[in-house]
């Protein structure tokens, strides 16, 4: 009996290790986009990923037929959404100008390719709200931030 349990535990660990080897990079990138951190300096994203992978490993045997990547991605998204209430601003990443909800919807819809209805169900909001958040996020990302107005001389001309 113990040998059989040890064999099952070893098989489970190998399966999970193979999953992490294939999925961790993409999940970390998604988490980094969510936290709006720099890719080389992303402690919050790494913490999100670690917690999501730990939960996925803990429920590995119960996934039976469910996509483990989808499960881990949901964990990253839910943990970010829960923690985003306490932290509003990004830390210099590509999506730092977006609010947490906009960032979450944009990453799930555009980077991860999650359908609008699935995103709405995951986040517990109407699909119309997801569509509006996504449209606003895309517009914000595509619109460059305004810089300071050019300096003017006393005559009103802009110096060259």
């Amino acid at each position: 009996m113990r040998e059989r349990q040890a064999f099952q535990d070893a098989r489970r660990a190998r399966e999970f290790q193979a999953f992490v080897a294939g999925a961790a990079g993409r999940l970390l990138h998604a988490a980094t986009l969510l936290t709006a951190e720099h890719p080389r300096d992303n402690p919050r994203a790494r913490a999100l990923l670690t917690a999501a992978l730990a939960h996925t490993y803990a429920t590995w045997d119960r996934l039976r037929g469910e996509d483990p990547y989808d499960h881990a991605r949901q964990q990253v998204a839910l943990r970010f959404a829960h923690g985003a209430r306490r932290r509003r601003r990004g830390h210099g990443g590509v999506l730092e100008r977006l609010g947490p909800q906009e960032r979450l919807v944009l990453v799930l819809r555009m980077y991860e390719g999650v359908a609008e209805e699935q995103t709405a169900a995951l986040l517990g909001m109407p699909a119309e709200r997801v569509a509006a958040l996504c449209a606003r996020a895309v517009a914000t990302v595509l619109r460059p931030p305004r810089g300071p107005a050019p300096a003017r001389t006393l005559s009103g001309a802009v110096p060259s």
Side-chain angles (χ1 to χ4, degrees):
M1 185 71 166
R2 286 185 191 193
E3 289 177 12
R4 184 173 145 204
Q5 183 63 39
F7 177 76
Q8 288 176 338
D9 289 346
R11 181 182 50 84
R12 176 182 185 216
R14 282 191 309 272
E15 288 174 355
F16 184 75
Q17 190 174 27
F19 162 70
V20 170
R26 184 170 174 92
L27 286 168
L28 178 60
H29 187 72
T32 302
L33 289 171
L34 288 173
T35 59
E37 295 173 304
H38 289 289
R40 289 180 300 275
D41 184 24
N42 55 2
R44 288 180 48 222
R46 290 177 184 280
L48 272 176
L49 178 60
T50 300
L53 289 176
H55 186 273
T56 302
Y57 184 72
T59 59
W60 190 257
D61 292 335
R62 291 180 290 197
L63 291 178
R64 293 192 185 112
E66 187 180 336
D67 181 9
Y69 184 85
D70 186 48
H71 180 81
R73 177 180 56 216
Q74 286 178 9
Q75 286 298 308
V76 167
L78 292 173
R79 289 169 188 278
F80 172 76
H82 178 72
R85 293 183 193 123
R86 292 186 296 269
R87 296 183 182 100
R88 176 111 177 103
R89 300 295 308 161
H91 299 287
V94 177
L95 304 180
E96 80 171 330
R97 293 185 308 146
L98 301 177
Q101 270 194 334
E102 291 171 327
R103 235 181 292 145
L104 183 55
V105 167
L106 184 71
V107 169
L108 288 173
R109 295 282 295 122
M110 299 297 148
Y111 179 72
E112 287 292 322
V114 178
E116 191 172 281
E117 295 79 20
Q118 287 178 295
T119 301
L122 175 64
L123 302 178
M125 61 178 65
E128 295 79 23
R129 175 82 174 130
V130 168
L133 284 168
C134 190
R136 187 169 57 218
V138 167
T140 301
V141 169
L142 294 178
R143 187 179 333 116
R146 289 184 167 199
R152 297 198 178 263
T153 64
L154 290 176
S155 66
V158 177
S160 9

